[in-house]
Amino acid sequence: MLRKSVKTIALMAALAVAAMGATTIPSGTRVTVRTSSQLSSGTAKVGQKFDANLTHDLVVNGKTLAKSGAPVKGKVTFVKTSGRLHEPGEISVRLTSVQIGGKLTPISTNAFRAKGKSHTKSNATKIGGGAAAGALIGGLAGGGKGALIGTAAGAGAGTGVAAATGKEEAVIHAETAFTVSTTQTATVK
């Protein structure tokens, strides 16, 4: 009986020591980082890795696991390049690991998304401006019929300008700070 009690106490002590050595980052922990380089929907590829750094200490249950400035790794998880006249670019990234105690600890987070500016206002200005200029020139040159022809020609030219200059890629600039949350519990070893 005494031997069984000693074994139970020894096992409990070993489990307590192991539990003290292993810490977890619970699901839902907020992680704020600052990117090291720029990512654009025009050039990035799904799976592309990027570097960042913590902007705040990573604290769990009152214990600081990683200090502000600690290296963080991430990857691009979604990319859609911009169309010329519609559909701005989009890019999504997730964090994959954080350096804790000199070792990279794998983490899983929700996505941070960026979307390019809308084309609508810019395109309307370019196309409408081209049509107005065409109507003015056509009206001066050929009266009412010339104005009608000038409007169509100007709108066509404006559409060409919009198409030539219309890409609105999503960009996550270098030094962009963003916050995501862990989606699974991670064990720090």
Side-chain angles (χ1 to χ4, degrees), residues 11-24:
L11 178 61
M12 289 173 57
L15 288 174
V17 168
M20 288 171 41
T23 305
T24 60

Side-chain angles (χ1 to χ4, degrees), residues 53-58 64-71 98-101:
N53 297 90
L54 289 177
T55 61
H56 305 300
D57 292 351
L58 179 59
T64 301
L65 300 180
K67 291 278 191 188
S68 175
V98 60
Q99 186 172 314
I100 298 174

